[in-house]
Amino acid sequence: MPVDIVIPNVGESVTEGVIASWLKSDGEWVEQDEPVLELETDKVTMEVPAPAAGIVHPKAAEGDTVEVGAVVGTIDDTAEKPAGATASAGARPAAQSRESGGDAPVATAAPPTQTKPAQASPPPAASEQPESNGDMRATPLAHKVAREFGVDLSSITPTGPGHRIREQDVLAFVQSNRIAPSPAQPSAGGPSRAVRRERMSPLRQRIAARLVEAQHTAAMLTTFNECDMTQVMTLRKKYKESFQKKHDINLGFMGFFVKAAVSALRAYPKVNAYIVDDEGRPAIEMHDYCDVAVAVSTPKGLTVPVIRNAEALSLAQIEKAIKDLATRARDGKLDLDEITGGTFTITNGGVFGSMMSTPILNPPQSAILGMHAIKNRPVEHPDRPGEIALRPMMYLALSYDHRIIDGAEAVSFLRHIKECIEDPTRIMLEV
């Protein structure tokens, strides 16, 4: 009797997803626990493993929206393994496979959802083999993205099961080489006026809903300040090599800002709090810990992994956590619990050249800190009043929920961060 491929439960708030791509074609052999398809949800994209070894027969097409618990295909476990078929690197030994029973297969988290979901298309015929480029095999979605950006698949290193190129591999290659989409060819009679529509991915829909929620439910306000980066830059230049040698990690700016934010959150705990519903009445939920979320740019868009208990970490541990989370975010290896539950967020638009912005809250958080580009500007010298000097300055922006945080508290919080950055010894001495 064929074994059903079932969409697993990946979280309490996730009820449906979109089939991003089938990693196995109709009629292709799959090993037990080898990834068989990629599912987009409104939070992550995950690989769904095969519940048994056998021949795959999809029932749903790429681009279809499917509910949790839905049967999207079957596996003929009575079929004989074709000659030459080998187990994928993604498959686990049988001794490590899940126990028998009614539980849904355990899914492995993959990158946040793609920015351009695949168009719905029927599963390939049983006689069709996955498209290849020489010895390179790629998913249909990877071919679609490669055509869009004009990328030669032979230049991409595959990371998918069976040495298959996935769309994440193409997007990572595009980002690392800064390749722009291939322009549409104009018609012979003049410039093109073609119009096209693409369905929003579940993640983008979720982001849109949360941003509108923040705008509609919070009394959002932004306060600004600027900080002199001279001391941090001097400290970083002086100890960069020894820090890297001792801790095997680069000394960056974000670590200083996380430490400064933790210091400020301890001094002004309401900035680290939520407004929650308590039996029908609003209440303030205070947190004794600081789970700082740091925005990371990935090939599929912005994701915000969380540094848990940042107040208990050293500067080196924070830098290592940032590097680990950022690397796995770009590689699509974050778990769902690593991108949820932060109490405060830091976003750095300065890496893209932003001079100033008003970041939007990440509900249910009450505040978010925006960092911006460092620019040399003429300011009054800190040690010689009345004298103008050229200093490396950064604008800071703190957006906050005025329902829970007063203006004086928000301004004082941001000034605390400014003072920590302009005198980093405050961070080390925790004063």
Side-chain angles (χ1 to χ4, degrees):
M1 183 176 179
V3 179
D4 291 336
I5 302 173
V6 180
I7 298 299
N9 185 3
V10 297
E12 293 181 2
S13 61
V14 179
T15 60
E16 65 180 19
V18 173
I19 297 179
S21 64
W22 281 95
L23 303 178
K24 294 293 182 178
S25 303
D26 190 7
E28 189 174 356
W29 178 267
V30 66
E31 295 289 346
Q32 182 175 0
D33 292 323
E34 183 181 358
V36 68
L37 64 89
E38 285 187 340
L39 180 75
E40 289 185 18
T41 72
D42 60 1
K43 294 183 178 178
V44 294
T45 297
M46 51 174 284
E47 292 178 344
V48 176
I55 299 297
V56 177
H57 297 294
K59 291 184 177 179
E62 293 181 357
D64 283 358
T65 299
V66 292
E67 295 183 353
V68 170
V71 176
V72 295
T74 60
I75 295 177
D76 183 359
D77 60 347
T78 63
E80 293 186 3
K81 185 175 182 178
T86 58
S88 165
R92 293 188 293 273
Q96 299 179 2
S97 62
R98 64 184 179 89
E99 298 178 357
S100 61
D103 294 340
V106 177
T108 303
T113 55
Q114 64 192 45
T115 56
K116 297 182 180 179
Q119 298 293 326
S121 58
S127 61
E128 292 180 354
Q129 295 298 322
E131 296 183 73
S132 63
N133 186 22
D135 295 331
M136 311 299 286
R137 300 201 311 163
T139 65
L141 188 55
H143 278 275
K144 177 180 180 293
V145 177
R147 285 193 297 269
E148 180 179 337
F149 286 91
V151 173
D152 183 0
L153 289 176
S154 64
S155 60
I156 297 177
T157 302
T159 63
H163 299 288
R164 187 190 300 259
I165 297 173
R166 303 185 302 168
E167 88 279 6
Q168 292 97 326
D169 303 325
V170 182
L171 290 169
F173 180 85
V174 167
Q175 185 185 55
S176 62
N177 291 275
R178 301 182 181 278
I179 301 173
S182 300
Q185 295 296 325
S187 63
S192 172
R193 288 179 53 80
V195 175
R196 60 189 177 90
R197 294 183 179 180
E198 293 183 352
R199 187 174 58 182
M200 292 177 69
S201 67
L203 177 60
R204 179 52 59 184
Q205 294 178 46
R206 177 65 173 170
I207 291 172
R210 286 176 63 82
L211 293 179
V212 172
E213 175 192 352
Q215 294 276 27
H216 286 179
T217 62
M220 195 159 55
L221 189 65
T222 304
T223 185
F224 300 92
N225 211 322
E226 62 179 358
C227 64
D228 188 337
M229 298 292 293
T230 300
Q231 293 300 321
V232 165
M233 294 176 71
T234 301
L235 194 67
R236 182 170 178 261
K237 182 178 180 180
K238 182 177 181 180
Y239 295 106
K240 184 176 181 179
E241 291 185 5
S242 57
F243 187 90
Q244 204 281 334
K245 184 177 181 180
K246 180 176 181 179
H247 300 289
D248 193 29
I249 189 72
N250 290 328
L251 180 59
F253 293 122
M254 186 60 77
F256 287 99
F257 277 93
V258 171
K259 291 289 287 184
V262 166
S263 177
L265 290 170
R266 288 300 186 88
Y268 302 94
K270 282 189 178 179
V271 182
N272 198 43
Y274 297 161
I275 292 182
V276 297
D277 181 81
D278 184 15
E279 297 181 354
R281 301 198 311 187
I284 298 176
E285 179 180 290
M286 309 295 287
H287 304 108
D288 293 335
Y289 54 87
C290 299
D291 284 354
V292 180
V294 178
V296 176
S297 178
T298 74
K300 287 192 171 183
L302 198 68
T303 188
V304 192
V306 180
I307 303 172
R308 304 291 179 189
N309 288 105
E311 77 283 355
L313 302 180
S314 66
L315 185 62
Q317 289 173 323
I318 289 174
E319 289 288 0
K320 288 181 179 180
I322 293 171
K323 180 180 179 181
D324 173 63
L325 290 170
T327 300
R328 291 192 293 116
R330 295 186 182 103
D331 293 341
K333 303 299 182 183
L334 290 177
D335 294 328
L336 185 60
D337 61 351
E338 291 179 305
I339 59 174
T340 56
T343 60
F344 181 77
T345 296
I346 301 177
T347 179
N348 185 6
V351 296
F352 304 106
S354 172
M355 286 295 296
M356 188 174 290
S357 67
T358 55
I360 297 179
L361 296 178
N362 182 16
Q365 296 174 24
S366 299
I368 179 173
L369 174 68
M371 300 165 53
H372 299 92
I374 302 172
K375 298 291 183 181
N376 287 328
R377 294 201 300 275
V379 296
E380 185 178 38
H381 197 287
D383 300 324
R384 297 190 289 273
E387 183 177 327
I388 300 300
L390 204 61
R391 311 282 286 191
M393 305 296 294
M394 175 191 287
Y395 287 122
L396 300 177
L398 180 74
S399 293
Y400 61 98
D401 190 344
H402 215 332
R403 296 177 300 167
I404 183 175
I405 303 169
D406 293 332
E409 193 170 20
V411 171
S412 299
F413 177 91
L414 192 56
R415 183 171 179 81
H416 188 110
I417 290 180
K418 166 187 170 70
E419 292 170 350
C420 287
I421 295 300
E422 293 185 342
D423 183 8
T425 55
R426 291 174 59 98
I427 299 174
M428 306 307 173
L429 298 177
E430 298 184 354
V431 296

